[in-house]
Amino acid sequence: YSCTNGLHALVLYTQQLHWHSASMDGYAAQQREFDWLVQPSVMTRALRQLRVGCDAGLAVDVGCGTSSSMAAALRDDLGARAVLCLDKDAAAVEFLRREGVTAHRCDIGDPDAGVVAPGSVDLVVDKSALDCILCSDEVDSYLRGVHAMLRPGGSYAIASFRTEDELRRIFGDAWRWDRCVALTERCR
């Protein structure tokens, strides 16, 4: 798989978990917001400092779960004019909608999903959705889906448990690698 329109893969990695609630099991059914891996404001602060995604026309949070805070941070911290949250889980999407967030149920890897117009997104934010998909055979279709929604020059920002070397192997030469920064200190 390759992309040729100059997209950026910006990787913001972390190995320190942030647990917003005691258990992830049934978080959408419990009607709670759940942010794991990293606080949304930590991620948007790093993006702002790197001048990535600022004043985006459309920012998309893929694999959003019940994180209404990420949508708010993209809007308030980065100045995104429109924010769309996407997740496969219907309960998570319904939770976000009740919170006033624009959210849709969507499989990013499904080319017929039709939720996001091709080439219309300035910034895709991924708080470890890719990490989860790496445990399946959907990696190529997921990355094709992210690629399809990004406009030329758009950015894909990933918060990941993976090391930079691991992520470079996953992406190969298919994406133009922008930079990799630590959001938290690496665990030893």
Side-chain angles (χ1 to χ4, degrees):
Y1 171 68
S2 64
C3 70
T4 57
N5 67 352
L7 301 175
H8 297 90
L10 171 71
V11 180
L12 308 167
Y13 65 86
T14 182
Q15 282 190 340
Q16 178 180 341
L17 284 177
H18 163 71
W19 293 102
H20 192 282
S21 65
S23 169
M24 192 170 83
D25 295 336
Y27 62 93
Q30 295 173 19
Q31 306 304 308
R32 288 190 194 163
E33 180 169 358
F34 180 79
D35 281 311
W36 79 297
L37 191 65
V38 67
Q39 289 274 8
S41 60
V42 171
M43 191 165 181
T44 56
R45 182 174 43 249
L47 291 169
R48 189 175 57 250
Q49 288 171 349
L50 296 168
R51 299 187 189 283
V52 172
C54 297
D55 300 317
L58 176 59
V60 174
D61 181 4
V62 293
C64 60
T66 58
S67 181
S68 60
S69 296
M70 190 69 205
L74 289 168
R75 225 180 8 265
D76 300 341
D77 297 349
L78 285 183
R81 291 183 291 286
V83 176
L84 176 61
C85 294
L86 303 176
D87 202 284
K88 285 183 176 184
D89 185 77
V93 168
E94 286 306 314
F95 173 85
L96 288 177
R97 288 178 177 168
R98 284 191 300 277
E99 296 290 310
V101 174
T102 303
H104 292 283
R105 188 169 182 213
C106 178
D107 178 351
I108 303 302
D110 179 359
D112 299 320
V115 174
V116 179
S120 65
V121 177
D122 297 296
L123 174 66
V124 172
V125 174
D126 175 338
K127 286 184 2 185
S128 203
L130 177 64
D131 285 348
C132 295
I133 291 167
L134 289 173
C135 298
S136 74
D137 59 356
E138 300 175 12
V139 176
D140 286 342
S141 63
Y142 176 80
L143 290 175
R144 275 193 297 277
V146 169
H147 173 263
M149 71 174 74
L150 282 167
R151 68 165 178 74
S155 295
Y156 176 28
I158 308 161
S160 177
F161 286 112
R162 307 291 173 174
T163 65
E164 181 176 353
D165 288 341
E166 290 171 321
L167 287 164
R168 284 184 181 275
R169 279 192 298 276
I170 292 163
F171 283 92
D173 295 329
W175 295 68
R176 189 179 83 193
W177 195 268
D178 192 356
R179 63 198 99 167
C180 185
V181 298
L183 294 176
T184 61
E185 289 186 33
R186 303 287 292 176
C187 297
R188 298 207 185 328

